[in-house]
Amino acid sequence: KRKNGQEHFREVVVEKGTIRITVQATGTTLPQNRLELKTPIAGRIDSINVVEGQSVKKGEVLAWLSSTERAALLDAARAKGEAELAYWEGIYKPTPLIAPMEGVIIARSMEPGQSVTTQDAPLVMSDRLIIKAQVDETDIGQLRLQQQTETVLDAYPKVHIKGWVSHIAYESKTVNNVTMYEVELTPERVPSFMRAGMTANVTFLVKSKENILILPEEAVQSRSGGARVFVPAAPEEKGKHKQSVDIETGISDGKNVEVRSGVRAGDKVLIQEFNFAKKNDKGGSNPLVPFGRGQGNKGGVGNRGKQ
C-alpha cells in the first residue's frame, strides 16, 4: 500500500488564536452550610414570617411560637371572649424563632397552627449555594485553590457561571471502582434560578494563552530534539513541492498547538494526507480512497486468505 500510495497535502494557514487547557467534571449544587432551625420549645406555631427563597439577616424573627401551656391558656381565654384573649396575650408573650446567621430560607416544612416538638425543624436555611464536583485522581494534580472555573447547569445550558476552587478534599472516595476527590467551587455570583440539587458540568481552567500562533496538531511532526512542519517549496526550488521547517512549540490542548518560532502568522503549512487508488473490475482505477479505510476483495476473501 505504501508503494502504491499517492502523496497529497492540504494547506492550512498559521493563525493567531487562544488555547485553553481544561479539566472537565460533573457536580451538584449544594448549600455551603445547611442549617435546620429547630424550635426551642414544644408547643404550637403561631405565625411564620418568611417564605422559601427569602433572604434574611442574622437576628431576624422568622416565626412566633406558643409553648404547650400558653397554647392551652389562649384557647381557654378565646372561648371567654376577645377581651379575655387580649389580656392573656399581653401577659403571656410568645417565643420567637430567630435567624442565627445571614442567609436564604431554602425549605419551609410547617405552617401556622401545627404542633411542634423540640426535634421539629419548620425552617431550613443556608448561607449560600456552592457546587461540589467529583474529580478523577488522574486530573486532581492539575487543580489548585483559587483556580478559575466555569459551570453550566443542565437546567440552564446557556448560562455560564464563573467561580473558583475553594476546597479540595484530602480524602478520596471510590465511585464505581474509580478513585475520586470532592472539589468545592464557589460561584462569583449565585443566580436567582440556582437551586440545591441541580446537576452541574464544571470546567477547570488549567492554563490559557491568548493571541498566540496556533496550528492543528496534525500539521506538526515531532522528532528528536524538536518539531517540524512542511511548507510549500520556494519557486526557485524546482522539482520540489514542499520543504521542512523546524519550529518551536508550546502548550497544546490536544487539538491545536502553540508555535513559538519557525513560522509567522499568515504562512501556509502543509498537512500530509494519504489516498490510495483501487482498480475496478475492468482494470481501471476507482476514485482515491482515504488511508486507513481499506476495502476487502470480492467475496470477502482478504489477502491472508489468498496466502
Side-chain angles (χ1 to χ4, degrees):
K1 287 185 177 179
R2 289 182 182 273
K3 186 175 181 180
N4 296 329
Q6 297 181 9
E7 214 175 29
H8 292 270
F9 292 90
R10 173 168 56 92
E11 287 187 354
V12 295
V13 178
V14 181
E15 302 177 322
K16 286 194 173 183
T18 300
I19 291 181
R20 300 171 77 243
I21 301 176
T22 60
V23 170
Q24 307 290 329
T26 58
T28 307
T29 57
L30 295 171
Q32 186 172 23
N33 292 301
R34 185 179 185 276
L35 187 60
E36 294 184 349
L37 303 180
K38 295 185 177 182
T39 58
I41 59 173
R44 186 171 63 196
I45 301 175
D46 288 344
S47 63
I48 298 179
N49 304 331
V50 294
V51 295
E52 288 186 8
Q54 181 175 334
S55 298
V56 297
K57 296 181 179 180
K58 183 178 179 180
E60 185 175 339
V61 177
L62 308 179
W64 291 100
L65 311 168
S66 287
S67 64
T68 304
E69 295 80 7
R70 183 177 189 271
L73 181 62
L74 293 183
D75 288 344
R78 187 176 289 105
K80 296 180 180 180
E82 292 297 328
E84 186 75 7
L85 176 62
Y87 172 78
W88 285 108
E89 283 180 339
I91 295 177
Y92 207 157
K93 298 296 184 181
T95 301
L97 180 63
I98 297 175
M101 63 180 183
E102 184 175 348
V104 177
I105 303 299
I106 61 174
R108 170 175 164 170
S109 59
M110 304 187 80
E111 297 297 330
Q114 286 187 254
S115 298
V116 294
T117 68
T118 54
Q119 299 304 312
D120 293 325
L123 298 172
V124 179
M125 68 178 301
S126 166
D127 51 357
R128 69 175 300 166
L129 291 175
I130 61 171
I131 298 125
K132 287 190 177 182
Q134 302 291 331
V135 180
D136 191 286
E137 65 173 334
T138 58
D139 295 323
I140 200 67
Q142 302 183 68
L143 306 188
R144 63 186 186 279
L145 294 177
Q146 303 302 316
Q147 190 169 14
Q148 296 300 304
T149 63
E150 190 174 85
T151 302
V152 176
L153 303 175
D154 282 356
Y156 300 91
K158 295 183 179 180
V159 180
H160 296 258
I161 305 169
K162 295 187 179 298
W164 67 88
V165 176
S166 54
H167 179 71
I168 301 174
Y170 286 87
E171 185 178 14
S172 66
K173 295 181 179 179
T174 302
V175 181
N176 296 328
N177 295 323
V178 178
T179 302
M180 310 291 284
Y181 286 86
E182 196 172 72
V183 179
E184 293 183 5
L185 286 67
T186 301
E188 290 181 358
R189 184 185 63 84
V190 178
S192 59
F193 54 75
M194 185 183 287
R195 301 288 187 270
M198 286 183 169
T199 301
N201 300 293
V202 181
T203 300
F204 299 88
L205 182 59
V206 177
K207 188 179 292 185
S208 176
K209 283 190 175 182
E210 299 179 355
N211 199 30
I212 58 174
L213 296 180
I214 59 173
L215 273 175
E217 278 275 5
E218 56 186 340
V220 180
Q221 297 188 359
S222 299
R223 62 177 183 174
S224 179
R228 69 176 181 179
V229 295
F230 289 120
V231 299
E236 59 270 16
E237 297 286 342
K238 295 182 179 181
K240 293 185 179 180
H241 61 276
K242 64 181 175 62
Q243 63 184 24
S244 175
V245 175
D246 292 331
I247 63 171
E248 181 185 356
T249 59
I251 66 173
S252 171
D253 61 1
K255 183 178 179 181
N256 296 311
V257 61
E258 175 192 8
V259 181
R260 293 178 176 173
S261 63
V263 293
R264 296 176 297 179
D267 289 352
K268 293 182 179 180
V269 174
L270 302 177
I271 297 178
Q272 193 171 13
E273 295 180 336
F274 290 93
N275 293 283
F276 298 93
K278 178 191 172 186
K279 290 185 178 181
N280 58 29
D281 293 338
K282 297 181 180 180
S285 294
N286 288 330
L288 298 178
V289 297
F291 175 66
R293 297 185 183 177
Q295 300 178 10
N297 294 330
K298 275 192 172 182
V301 180
N303 292 330
R304 289 196 304 169
K306 288 187 177 182
Q307 295 174 358

